[in-house]
């Protein structure tokens, strides 16, 4: 997992697949001005989502992890907590892995927590479970976020 700012993300270009494809899209002001929805990238496999939502409490969310895609999450407006844990510490739920949506859910009793504000970025690799969109305390805040989905090479 990587946590940094959007300005510093180019330092990690060597470990982010398809960097040349997504780098031109990583402009905070441009992303913040985009409408909610899905945006496909030129390779026909990578894409990003713009989401606008109210943060929720930790217990209202679930940990998720992926096998085929890396998540690059960029906070555009607001503040949220993202809980993380290595997949090796996860207890997968009974539903198992959903290959069509590249997602599996689970729980852990030993999460780490990170705070994100506008301009902060998280990169989650397949070994990184994450519980995003969480409130700071009991306050549900408006958050706008871009989530890039880039296939693992």
């Amino acid at each position: 997992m990587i946590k940094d700012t959007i300005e510093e993300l180019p330092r990690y270009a060597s470990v982010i697949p398809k960097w040349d494809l997504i780098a031109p899209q990583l402009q905070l002001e441009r992303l913040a001005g985009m409408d909610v929805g899905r945006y496909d990238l030129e390779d026909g496999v990578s894409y990003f989502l713009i989401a606008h939502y109210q943060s929720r409490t930790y217990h209202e969310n679930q940990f998720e992890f992926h096998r085929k895609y890396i998540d690059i999450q960029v906070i555009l407006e607001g503040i949220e907590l993202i809980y993380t844990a290595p997949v090796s510490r996860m207890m997968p739920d009974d539903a198992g892995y959903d290959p069509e949506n590249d997602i599996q859910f689970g729980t852990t009793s030993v999460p780490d927590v990170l705070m994100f504000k506008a301009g902060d970025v998280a990169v989650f690799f397949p070994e990184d479970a994450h519980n995003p969109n969480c409130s700071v305390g009991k306050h549900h805040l408006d958050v706008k976020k871009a989530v890039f989905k880039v296939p693992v090479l």
Side-chain angles (χ1 to χ4, degrees):
M1 188 200 86
I2 298 168
K3 180 194 187 293
D4 213 322
T5 63
I6 197 166
E7 295 85 14
E8 295 298 323
L9 200 57
R11 295 181 5 183
Y12 308 99
S14 64
V15 297
I16 299 175
K18 301 192 179 258
W19 175 254
D20 293 339
L21 180 68
I22 63 170
Q25 307 298 324
L26 291 168
Q27 299 170 12
L28 190 62
E29 295 80 20
R30 181 178 166 277
L31 290 168
M34 295 179 79
D35 291 331
V36 169
R38 177 182 166 138
Y39 298 85
D40 294 323
L41 297 178
E42 294 174 10
D43 67 350
V45 189
S46 305
Y47 62 95
F48 65 96
L49 306 166
I50 301 289
H52 190 201
Y53 52 87
Q54 286 268 308
S55 60
R56 300 178 300 235
T57 65
Y58 171 79
H59 297 292
E60 292 175 292
N61 285 347
Q62 291 182 303
F63 275 89
E64 62 183 62
F65 41 104
H66 314 286
R67 294 181 187 174
K68 298 176 190 172
Y69 282 87
I70 292 169
D71 274 10
I72 302 170
Q73 300 192 11
V74 184
I75 304 298
L76 305 173
E77 299 171 8
I79 298 172
E80 76 175 42
L81 299 178
I82 300 179
Y83 291 81
T84 66
V87 169
S88 61
R89 282 196 275 169
M90 297 303 300
M91 292 171 285
D93 70 2
D94 292 337
Y97 175 68
D98 175 355
E100 184 176 323
N101 294 305
D102 184 41
I103 197 162
Q104 185 165 3
F105 296 101
T107 59
T108 185
S109 59
V110 210
D112 295 311
V113 63
L114 301 167
M115 182 179 287
F116 290 83
K117 62 187 180 319
D120 287 343
V121 177
V123 181
F124 297 107
F125 297 94
E127 61 271 13
D128 303 317
H130 47 287
N131 182 349
N133 312 346
C134 293
S135 299
V136 177
K138 295 180 182 179
H139 303 287
H140 298 295
L141 302 173
D142 282 328
V143 179
K144 188 171 185 183
K145 180 181 353 184
V147 178
F148 287 78
K149 302 294 268 184
V150 181
V152 176
L153 297 180

